[in-house]
Amino acid sequence: MKEGRDGTKSNRMSKSSSVSSLPLILDIDDFKGEFSFDALFGNLVNELLPSFQEEETDSSEGHSNVSGNDSLQNGHMRVPSDAAKFAQGLSDPLFPEVDKILSLFKDSCKELVDLQKQIDGRLYNLKKEVSVQDSKHRKTLVELEKGVDGLFGSFARLDSRISSVGQTAAKIGDHLQSADAQRETASQTIELIKYLMEFNSSPGDLMELSPLFSDDSRVAEAAKIAQKLRAFAEEDIGRQGISVPSVMGNATASRGLEVAVPNLQDYCNELENRLLSRFDAASQRRELSTMAECAKILSQFNRGTSAMQHYVGTRPMFIDVEVMNADTRLVLGDEGSQASPSNVARGLSSLYKEITDNVRKEAATVMAVFPSPNEVMSILVQRVLEQRVTALLDKLLVKPSLVNLPPMEEGGLLLYLRMLAVAYEKTQELARDLRAVGCGDLDIEGLTESLFSSHKDGYPEHEQASLKQLYLAKVAELRAESQQISESSGTIGRSKGAAVASSHQQISVTVVTEFVRWNEEAIARCTLFSSQPATLAANVKVVFTSLLDQVSQYITEGLERARDGLTEAAALRERFVLGTSVRRVAAAAASAAEAAAAAGESSFRSFMVAVQRCGSSVAIVQQYFSNSISRLLLPVDGAHAASCEEMATTMSSAEGAAYKGLQQCIETVMAEVERLLSAEQKTTDYRSREDGFAPDHRPTNACTRVVAYLSRVLESAFTALEGLNKQAFLTELGNRLHKGLLNHWQKFTFNPSGGLRLKRDITEYGEYVRSFNAPSVDENFELLGIMANVFIVAPESLSTLFEGTPSIRKDAQRFIELREDYKSAKLAARLSSLWTSSS
């Protein structure tokens, strides 16, 4: 409701309540926008209820204060009594403005009805007007659709016309372009024919040519035209079946283009030479733009091959002899000096770095000058490898003959192989560096391999020959050292001198390690030279077989030398056997026998040392095979198993020598045991007098000497032998000792005291052989202890000794026959009846 109307209503509402309120004035605008019924109602009634609102406020305040305080309401004191309240309620109405509000609501309803009728009238008029306008609009749209359809038809006809005109124009343009091209071709053809006729005028006459062919500023155009003319003329000659040499020999032939061909050839050659001269002059002045221009023109002649080769051929590294000499001095040193692989490696590294830097600098020029730089780089790198590198390798690597090897004083065949490996490795590095710089489509790896093809042919045979040469040189060195030591010990006795010499020819693990190191170096070269796994496996097998042969031969010869010591000691024993009763001769023989025994003991220790070193050597080879060789053989089926079998077969000769030597060691030990028993065992040891004294419970002197000897001499065997070899050796020795003692005791007669002494000896022997860890030997000596009881018990108790061990009855019977009372107690008959009843 507008402000003016609000003011009017306010004035009307402010009149006396007895007077009827005037009709409300409502406006349609009051219902527009965001309509709120609460706002409309408030605008209608709020001005009529100010006193009611105040009363409502005071009433709410009075109810909030229920404690009985006196308070004001409508300006009067509250009446506390109920009668007063009732009286006041009767005198004053509760809602005195109700009549005004009812009148206001009635007038408002009437006004709202009037407003609704006005709005309904307006809506009717608007609907009628909208219907009329809609009818007009539909009619207009129909007319517009007809116009648009006609317009679309016009556009379609126009587009078809434009397309037709465009196609016609394109055809005309194509015809014009074709005609222009034909005209241009015809013009060029006419011009070419004119130039061709100039070249075909007279043989060898190039003086009457057009200025184009002599103008240096139009060289590119002249070269292009000359090439076209030359191609056309040669094609024409080819169709006629006439060769160019015959044309040049027949200058009078004037029909056709026989004259033009040689003239064009001469002109092209002259032009090419002129351009090459200009190119060289620009190259000396470093005028890259002029060089690039000449190179571009020269590319029309044989695709620029002559220019590329000319450029590469004029590089100082290829034409300066001093450069080649400097290369040789840098790598090989001064003339007459012996070059070492390390010095050659450093020299090659420096030289190849210099070559790579030069090629890199040339590559920058090539990229800026030539239209096909990759082809130029291919030619340049190929020339570097084939000329400069090959010239150096020819001086560095001279392949020796396998028939006449270079002497070891000059490095032997190994020096050549080391030089070859160094040169190959460094040249491969050069190839990789040049590939990084750029070498076009050149197969630089294949070219590099071809440089060494002659050296790689038969390479494994050279490795074999080198290893054999090294082995022979080492063996000769060891023999020379041994001979020198032998000569320096001239004052020593023959046998002692031989023992000293033999000790210096012992198997050396250091020498075997050196063999392995040679082989390892050879395997490294095989890996370097062999790119294919199958080839590598084959070469490795050949080289490893050489090591097996070397180690087998070396340790077999070492074992045989050690066996020679055992053989010499045996010969000495045979030579000085005690066989005479003459005191002076017997004393000398005993002294000689002691010397022979010492030689035998020394040779025993030497052989055990040889066996120990042999085992260590074989272990080194096996470890080397596992760590370095086996993985290289895996790519070839069966190669690994074949090498293992070959290794076992090769080492069999050493095993045979070791077995024979161990048998000799047992013979040596048993010979000395027998000598000690014969020399130290007294007949009274086992037939002590029954004089009432307590029996001697100590072992006999012979037993003590034998056990001391065995403890001393077998110490080296315990150290040298391992595993099954040790067990087999000690078992065999224990059985031989058992048998030897049995045979030795057969020479004596025993009384009870002697039987106790024998039992003490057997216990001593048994305790010692228990260190052999051989159960069968321990059992034999335990049975010996049982059998010794036959000398101790009374004759009537003999039958009870063997009830649990019937297997030793035969040996026990032999022992019983040695009892002192065997005949007096008639033990033969008693035992005969005993064995018969037992069986």
Side-chain angles (χ1 to χ4, degrees), residues 393 397-399 416 420 451-459:
L393 294 179
L397 302 174
V398 179
K399 189 173 183 179
Y416 161 74
L420 178 60
L451 300 180
F452 295 90
S453 59
S454 61
H455 298 279
K456 292 173 71 173
D457 290 341
Y459 159 73

Side-chain angles (χ1 to χ4, degrees), residues 642-816:
S643 292
C644 292
E645 184 178 355
E646 186 173 5
M647 184 161 48
T649 303
T650 306
M651 295 302 173
S652 61
S653 60
E655 292 178 357
Y659 176 76
K660 293 178 182 178
L662 291 174
Q663 291 294 329
Q664 287 181 278
C665 286
I666 292 175
E667 295 293 339
T668 300
V669 171
M670 290 308 302
E672 180 62 15
V673 168
E674 291 173 1
R675 188 190 73 82
L676 289 174
L677 290 173
S678 299
E680 301 294 335
Q681 196 83 70
K682 304 294 188 292
T683 57
T684 57
D685 289 341
Y686 302 122
R687 292 182 64 184
S688 58
R689 291 178 299 174
E690 302 290 343
D691 50 7
F693 291 100
D696 191 355
H697 294 290
R698 295 175 301 174
T700 61
N701 186 50
C703 175
T704 303
R705 290 286 303 273
V706 168
V707 172
Y709 167 75
L710 291 174
S711 301
R712 183 177 67 253
V713 75
L714 292 182
E715 181 180 358
S716 59
F718 281 104
T719 304
L721 301 177
E722 295 178 348
L724 296 177
N725 293 332
K726 181 177 180 181
Q727 184 178 3
F729 175 78
L730 293 177
T731 300
E732 176 67 18
L733 179 60
N735 291 332
R736 289 286 302 276
L737 179 63
H738 172 264
K739 183 178 179 181
L741 290 172
L742 280 176
N743 294 333
H744 168 68
W745 288 326
Q746 292 294 322
K747 304 173 184 178
F748 297 92
T749 303
F750 298 85
N751 62 10
S753 298
L756 292 174
R757 196 82 183 271
L758 174 63
K759 194 172 181 65
R760 181 66 183 88
D761 284 356
I762 293 173
T763 302
E764 189 75 11
Y765 289 127
E767 288 179 355
Y768 175 73
V769 297
R770 197 170 291 117
S771 63
F772 290 4
N773 290 325
S776 61
V777 176
D778 294 340
E779 183 180 358
N780 287 337
F781 277 87
E782 288 175 2
L783 294 177
L784 276 179
I786 295 174
M787 288 192 299
N789 291 327
V790 302
F791 302 120
I792 301 172
V793 301
E796 58 273 10
S797 301
L798 288 174
S799 60
T800 62
L801 289 178
F802 310 108
E803 291 178 355
T805 55
S807 59
I808 62 172
R809 286 178 180 176
K810 184 177 181 180
D811 291 333
Q813 184 175 0
R814 294 170 58 191
F815 264 43
I816 292 173

Side-chain angles (χ1 to χ4, degrees), residues 231-305:
F232 176 76
E234 289 178 351
E235 183 179 358
D236 180 72
I237 294 297
R239 284 197 301 268
Q240 296 181 17
I242 304 174
S243 62
V244 175
S246 64
V247 171
M248 297 178 65
N250 187 10
T252 59
S254 58
R255 60 187 180 87
L257 299 177
E258 294 83 356
V259 177
V261 171
N263 286 343
L264 284 169
Q265 181 68 45
D266 293 342
Y267 175 76
C268 289
N269 292 339
E270 186 271 333
L271 180 60
E272 188 174 6
N273 292 332
R274 195 189 336 157
L275 288 170
L276 288 174
S277 299
R278 184 185 300 181
F279 182 88
D280 287 341
S283 176
Q284 293 177 0
R285 297 191 299 270
R286 298 294 299 170
E287 295 178 356
L288 298 183
S289 58
T290 304
M291 292 172 65
E293 180 183 356
C294 295
K296 184 177 181 181
I297 299 171
L298 286 168
S299 65
Q300 300 179 35
F301 299 95
N302 298 325
R303 298 180 58 188
T305 303

Side-chain angles (χ1 to χ4, degrees), residues 147-443:
V148 170
D149 290 341
L151 185 59
F152 281 162
S154 298
F155 276 131
R157 291 190 297 272
L158 179 60
D159 184 66
S160 177
R161 180 62 179 167
I162 291 173
S163 177
S164 176
V165 172
Q167 292 177 358
T168 304
K171 291 180 180 179
I172 294 173
D174 291 340
H175 288 303
L176 289 175
Q177 186 176 5
S178 177
D180 184 67
Q182 292 176 1
R183 183 190 63 80
E184 182 67 23
T185 302
S187 176
Q188 292 179 0
T189 303
I190 293 172
E191 189 173 1
L192 289 174
I193 291 173
K194 183 186 71 171
Y195 293 145
L196 186 60
M197 296 308 296
E198 293 179 2
F199 280 100
N200 202 41
S201 59
S202 59
D205 185 9
L206 302 178
M207 301 301 295
E208 301 298 330
L209 298 177
S210 298
L212 168 66
F213 298 103
S214 58
D215 189 354
D216 289 342
S217 62
R218 301 176 66 186
V219 173
E221 183 181 358
K224 185 177 181 180
I225 292 174
Q227 287 298 319
K228 288 182 179 180
L229 295 176
R230 180 180 174 184
F232 176 76
E234 289 178 351
E235 183 179 358
D236 180 72
I237 294 297
R239 284 197 301 268
Q240 296 181 17
I242 304 174
S243 62
V244 175
S246 64
V247 171
M248 297 178 65
N250 187 10
T252 59
S254 58
R255 60 187 180 87
L257 299 177
E258 294 83 356
V259 177
V261 171
N263 286 343
L264 284 169
Q265 181 68 45
D266 293 342
Y267 175 76
C268 289
N269 292 339
E270 186 271 333
L271 180 60
E272 188 174 6
N273 292 332
R274 195 189 336 157
L275 288 170
L276 288 174
S277 299
R278 184 185 300 181
F279 182 88
D280 287 341
S283 176
Q284 293 177 0
R285 297 191 299 270
R286 298 294 299 170
E287 295 178 356
L288 298 183
S289 58
T290 304
M291 292 172 65
E293 180 183 356
C294 295
K296 184 177 181 181
I297 299 171
L298 286 168
S299 65
Q300 300 179 35
F301 299 95
N302 298 325
R303 298 180 58 188
T305 303
S306 59
M308 299 176 191
Q309 293 178 346
H310 180 77
Y311 173 77
V312 172
T314 56
R315 298 304 90 199
M317 71 174 76
F318 302 128
I319 60 177
D320 192 350
V321 178
E322 185 57 33
V323 172
M324 304 294 181
N325 296 333
D327 292 349
T328 304
R329 288 194 300 270
L330 179 61
V331 176
L332 298 178
D334 296 332
E335 187 175 358
S337 62
Q338 181 69 38
S340 65
S342 58
N343 292 335
V344 169
R346 286 192 294 269
L348 285 175
S349 297
S350 300
L351 175 62
Y352 286 168
K353 183 179 183 302
E354 177 187 343
I355 290 175
T356 303
D357 292 340
N358 290 338
V359 172
R360 186 177 289 108
K361 292 178 182 178
E362 294 293 343
T365 302
V366 168
M367 295 296 293
V369 170
F370 289 93
S372 301
N374 288 337
E375 296 182 16
V376 182
M377 291 304 299
S378 176
I379 297 173
L380 176 62
V381 172
Q382 183 176 358
R383 185 75 175 270
V384 167
L385 293 175
E386 290 182 348
Q387 180 174 332
R388 192 169 179 183
V389 174
T390 301
L392 177 64
L393 294 179
D394 290 343
K395 296 179 181 179
L396 176 63
L397 302 174
V398 179
K399 189 173 183 179
S401 171
L402 294 179
V403 178
N404 187 16
L405 298 179
M408 288 299 297
E409 293 77 10
E410 298 177 4
L413 192 54
L414 179 62
L415 178 62
Y416 161 74
L417 292 173
R418 287 176 173 175
M419 290 290 193
L420 178 60
V422 167
Y424 184 83
E425 185 176 10
K426 295 300 179 181
T427 307
Q428 289 287 344
E429 292 177 2
L430 172 65
R432 289 192 291 270
D433 293 339
L434 293 178
R435 167 67 70 187
V437 173
C439 59
D441 298 331
L442 178 66
D443 181 13

Side-chain angles (χ1 to χ4, degrees), residues 476-497:
E477 177 186 349
L478 295 174
R479 287 175 180 171
E481 292 178 358
S482 177
Q483 183 67 24
Q484 183 178 2
I485 294 172
S486 179
E487 291 175 357
S488 64
S489 59
T491 58
I492 305 176
R494 183 176 179 274
S495 61
K496 188 174 180 181

Side-chain angles (χ1 to χ4, degrees), residues 85-152:
K85 289 181 181 180
F86 179 74
Q88 187 175 1
L90 292 176
S91 62
D92 296 331
L94 293 175
F95 200 174
E97 289 85 359
V98 67
D99 295 333
K100 295 179 182 180
I101 291 176
L102 287 173
S103 178
L104 176 63
F105 284 170
K106 291 178 181 180
D107 293 341
S108 297
C109 287
K110 291 178 181 180
E111 194 70 26
L112 287 172
V113 171
D114 293 340
L115 288 175
Q116 182 180 6
K117 292 179 179 179
Q118 292 178 16
I119 290 171
D120 289 342
R122 290 183 183 180
L123 285 174
Y124 175 77
N125 294 333
L126 285 174
K127 288 181 179 178
K128 186 177 181 181
E129 184 178 353
V130 167
S131 177
V132 172
Q133 293 298 328
D134 183 64
S135 177
K136 292 180 180 179
H137 179 65
R138 290 179 181 276
K139 183 178 181 180
T140 303
L141 284 177
V142 171
E143 293 176 356
L144 286 175
E145 286 179 358
K146 292 180 179 179
V148 170
D149 290 341
L151 185 59
F152 281 162

